[in-house]
Amino acid sequence: METPKPAPTRAQQRLHAARAALHARYVTGPVSQAVFEFIAFGIKQGWACLFGGLMLGLLLLTFVWYPDGARLSRYDFLVLGALAIQIMMLWTGLETWEEARIILVFHVVGTVMELFKTAHGSWIYPEDSFLRIGAVPLFTGFMYGAVGSYLARVWRIFEFRFDRFPPLWLQGLLATAIYVNFFAHHWLPDVRIALFVGIAMVYGPSMVWFRADEAHRPMPLVIGFGLVAIFIWFAENLGTFARAWAYPGQEHGWQMVSLSKLGSWYLLMIISFVLVAAVHGKAHRAPGGPRIEDPEAARRE
């Protein structure tokens, strides 16, 4: 039994009506349909990135225009701005309470990692602030939350379905091993190569079906993870350019974030995906394919 979809809000109804009108006006054949679907894909991706995009905009705007010597530090202003964005998204229905719970988990997971990594010099936050835990300003939890918000929203907006969806317990073991390695590699050998092999074995056969317009389209799940990791890497370059944080070597001037961080973000994507799948992964049916369920949902039904 699948959870019934909530009734669309007025804003969603207007957006669907506008999309239908544009489709009827401009789509006249397979070529125009392909162009329309490509544009719809980009718009939906941008819509799914709303929280992260607004946060990134805040980082850049405060870097350019935030007044020197203000009583409220820039980092503390970012905390208040992030809270305002979160409240606005919940109040308008752009984000569900279920998604908000996912984002809260990301806050906790991300903040624990931040405390550890900053203590070991992996990166620094060069500005002073009041709203912080140790060396970690509280706005950083919202940056991890932005990843969770994107994954939860993109899952819903594109109506994800899966072929050969891995069991959640297996995904959980893999995500736990990845999270532990982020800490343990400071003392023990870094086993990320073995983790990448594990990802290929667990997710390699899996296919995600997403609906940008009228039809669901397939994509290998491991490729989807990689594409998201690349976009996060671009966002991270903008974040460090805005001096929100700095890696070793960036203390005295900005330089591009190392490409090696792509691997770290890819691994973090697995943790993120598993957290979202634990909520959304109740039942999936790929178009024309077999029903895919996680075992816990099957037992409950």
Side-chain angles (χ1 to χ4, degrees), residues 5-245:
K5 293 182 180 179
T9 64
R10 288 185 178 181
Q12 289 172 328
Q13 290 173 351
R14 287 195 293 268
L15 288 171
H16 290 320
R19 175 256 164 215
L22 289 171
H23 190 277
R25 181 175 181 180
Y26 291 108
V27 175
T28 58
V31 174
S32 55
Q33 171 61 40
V35 172
F36 188 90
E37 188 166 347
F38 180 78
I39 294 172
F41 178 84
I43 292 173
K44 283 189 171 184
Q45 284 287 347
W47 193 236
C49 291
L50 182 61
F51 188 94
L54 291 173
M55 280 298 300
L56 193 58
L58 273 179
L59 294 182
L60 292 170
L61 286 172
T62 54
F63 173 65
V64 175
W65 285 312
Y66 203 74
D68 293 332
R71 289 189 176 183
L72 182 68
S73 74
R74 178 194 176 206
Y75 284 172
D76 290 341
F77 176 82
L78 289 172
V79 175
L80 298 179
L83 279 171
I85 294 171
Q86 187 76 79
I87 292 169
M88 178 273 294
M89 292 185 68
L90 286 169
W91 180 62
T92 57
L94 293 175
E95 189 173 87
T96 68
W97 283 103
E98 182 180 73
E99 291 164 352
R101 287 194 293 271
I102 295 172
I103 293 169
L104 177 61
V105 175
F106 273 79
H107 273 268
V108 175
V109 169
T111 300
V112 170
M113 186 184 298
E114 286 282 330
L115 289 167
F116 180 86
K117 289 292 189 178
T118 52
H120 286 77
S122 297
W123 55 80
I124 62 169
Y125 293 93
E127 300 179 23
D128 294 328
S129 64
F130 176 73
L131 301 175
R132 65 196 298 129
I133 301 175
V136 180
L138 294 186
F139 82 87
T140 60
F142 289 97
M143 302 306 296
Y144 287 90
V147 178
S149 175
Y150 166 76
L151 280 176
R153 284 170 58 77
V154 79
W155 195 307
R156 171 167 52 88
I157 291 169
F158 282 90
E159 300 177 20
F160 280 179
R161 300 291 184 267
F162 298 89
D163 275 327
R164 298 176 294 278
F165 193 70
L168 278 177
W169 66 265
L170 182 58
Q171 296 184 59
L173 287 177
L174 181 60
T176 301
I178 291 170
Y179 192 65
V180 169
N181 188 65
F182 275 124
F183 299 87
H185 80 86
H186 286 275
W187 305 288
L188 302 173
D190 190 344
V191 297
R192 67 175 56 201
I193 298 301
L195 293 171
F196 283 125
V197 172
I199 291 169
M201 293 175 64
V202 172
Y203 292 105
S206 186
M207 191 76 67
V208 58
W209 293 76
F210 60 94
R211 189 168 76 88
D213 185 38
E214 293 183 332
H216 274 80
R217 307 293 183 187
M219 176 188 292
L221 192 51
V222 290
I223 293 179
F225 292 150
L227 293 175
V228 176
I230 289 171
F231 277 100
I232 295 176
W233 180 78
F234 279 120
E236 189 176 33
N237 274 283
L238 290 174
T240 54
F241 174 79
R243 297 294 291 168
W245 64 93

